[in-house]
Amino acid sequence: MRFILFGILLASLPPLAWADLPLTVEDLITDKGKIKLDLSLSYANADRQGVSTADPINVQISPTSFVTLPTQIGEHVDNSDIAVAALGLRYGLTTKAEVYARLSGLSSRRRSSGLGGSATSSQSGFADAWAGVNYQFRKDDDGPAVLGFAEVALREKHRRSSVSFKSAMLGATTYKAIDPVVFSLTGAYRFNQSRQDGAQSYQPGSLLLLNPGVAFAVNDRVTLSTGAQWTRRQADRFGGQSQGLDRTATDLLLGVGYGFAKGSTLNTTFKVNASGRSGAELRMSWLYTP
């Protein structure tokens, strides 16, 4: 069975190679001279109470991409709904390499209460823009396939200002197809430089991610997938001072991929935190090849 839908499986390919979309094993990299359109909508819900130490809310918009929503310090009960839309383009440079770009926007609504009373706030607008490259180092033949990626933030919006070229991510994915099952493992590291947010220096915490997964091709149109995601995020720094703690988290991923038309695939992914109270996320992604 050469046609294997990956589902979340190759939760590996970089943010906008978005390997969480159903693809054939042979077509992970966009064909030379061709383009592909990526569109996703992610929803996250988080409920927190107690004393906040400025730990941000991270919304995952692809297997290795996150949009961060900073929180504030203080005693509170806090409930948030966040929706993030992302639009991306991929272009095949060679048979082994492609370049991609992604633009994201968010809308959030926060309800909180504390000693000072209750309040509701909302925000919406531009979130960030990234560009990167995917490269296939090895195909799945005598051994597992290996793909790598690198990307840089073209623009990131914070509370009071925006910055460029202050964050980057490096990662790799390996997978092995044993029809009708595909095993995969993705590792990625995002590092952030210090930047100014208004009058204050701000450095988002670096992020390490590991994502093992398995996908099962039910037929030539549908793939079921599952996996785990482990992350370690360093505490953010404001004015040179660490805010909160370095944190680790383990999440469970469940997904289904569906090829509903020629050149069009839809993937739905559900993520729930298994090691804490970080809420849940639902992501829908559409990949279109003209």
Side-chain angles (χ1 to χ4, degrees):
M1 184 184 296
R2 289 169 59 83
F3 190 75
I4 296 182
L5 299 182
F6 277 92
I8 307 179
L9 151 67
L10 286 183
S12 43
L13 284 187
L16 275 276
W18 294 14
D20 65 335
L21 298 174
L23 299 173
T24 58
V25 173
E26 295 83 356
D27 296 332
L28 288 176
I29 299 297
T30 304
D31 292 340
K32 182 179 179 180
K34 300 292 185 178
I35 63 172
K36 289 182 179 179
L37 172 69
D38 286 304
L39 179 64
S40 77
L41 179 64
S42 303
Y43 166 78
N45 171 264
D47 190 272
R48 297 179 177 180
Q49 59 184 348
V51 178
S52 169
T53 52
D55 296 318
I57 297 174
N58 294 295
V59 182
Q60 189 164 5
I61 61 173
S62 87
T64 54
S65 300
F66 298 82
V67 169
T68 300
L69 186 67
T71 57
Q72 299 179 346
I73 301 174
E75 186 173 351
H76 72 294
V77 175
D78 186 287
N79 182 265
S80 300
D81 294 295
I82 307 105
V84 179
L87 173 66
L89 286 175
R90 299 163 53 187
Y91 176 76
L93 286 179
T94 69
T95 57
K96 292 185 176 182
E98 68 176 9
V99 293
Y100 60 89
R102 178 184 73 252
L103 179 68
S104 302
L106 67 79
S107 176
S108 68
R109 186 172 181 83
R110 178 188 178 205
R111 297 163 294 278
S112 60
S113 66
L115 297 178
S118 300
T120 299
S121 62
S122 61
Q123 70 177 86
S124 61
F126 170 81
D128 60 18
W130 290 71
V133 59
N134 295 323
Y135 187 81
Q136 186 171 32
F137 292 99
R138 177 190 174 93
K139 290 188 175 181
D140 181 13
D141 39 43
D142 294 336
V146 178
L147 303 98
F149 70 91
E151 64 174 16
V152 63
L154 303 178
R155 198 70 174 168
E156 295 176 274
K157 184 179 183 302
H158 301 305
R159 286 179 180 171
R160 300 176 180 84
S161 60
S162 299
V163 297
S164 297
F165 306 110
K166 292 295 185 178
S167 300
M169 177 173 273
L170 295 173
T173 290
T174 181
Y175 73 86
K176 181 64 179 178
I178 306 175
D179 291 346
V181 176
V182 181
F183 298 95
S184 69
L185 175 64
T186 296
Y189 180 70
R190 173 172 169 171
F191 48 94
N192 306 291
Q193 293 181 312
S194 180
R195 69 285 308 268
Q196 287 297 123
D197 186 17
Q200 190 176 41
S201 65
Y202 168 53
Q203 183 174 7
S206 297
L207 175 74
L208 175 65
L209 175 150
L210 293 175
N211 177 201
V214 58
F216 174 75
V218 178
N219 51 46
D220 63 348
R221 285 180 176 271
V222 177
T223 290
L224 301 178
S225 57
T226 187
Q229 178 175 281
W230 180 86
T231 55
R232 184 182 189 278
R233 182 184 175 90
Q234 294 180 326
D236 292 354
R237 300 180 68 86
F238 289 91
Q241 299 297 315
S242 178
Q243 302 294 313
L245 305 171
D246 294 353
R247 290 181 177 272
T248 58
T250 302
D251 299 291
L252 173 66
L253 303 174
L254 300 172
V256 57
Y258 176 55
F260 61 91
K262 183 178 181 181
S264 292
T265 53
L266 181 68
N267 188 78
T268 301
T269 305
F270 178 69
K271 184 178 82 170
V272 60
N273 184 243
S275 61
R277 301 175 58 185
S278 297
E281 298 178 24
L282 180 66
R283 181 173 72 249
M284 296 188 68
S285 304
W286 174 54
L287 176 67
Y288 175 66
T289 304

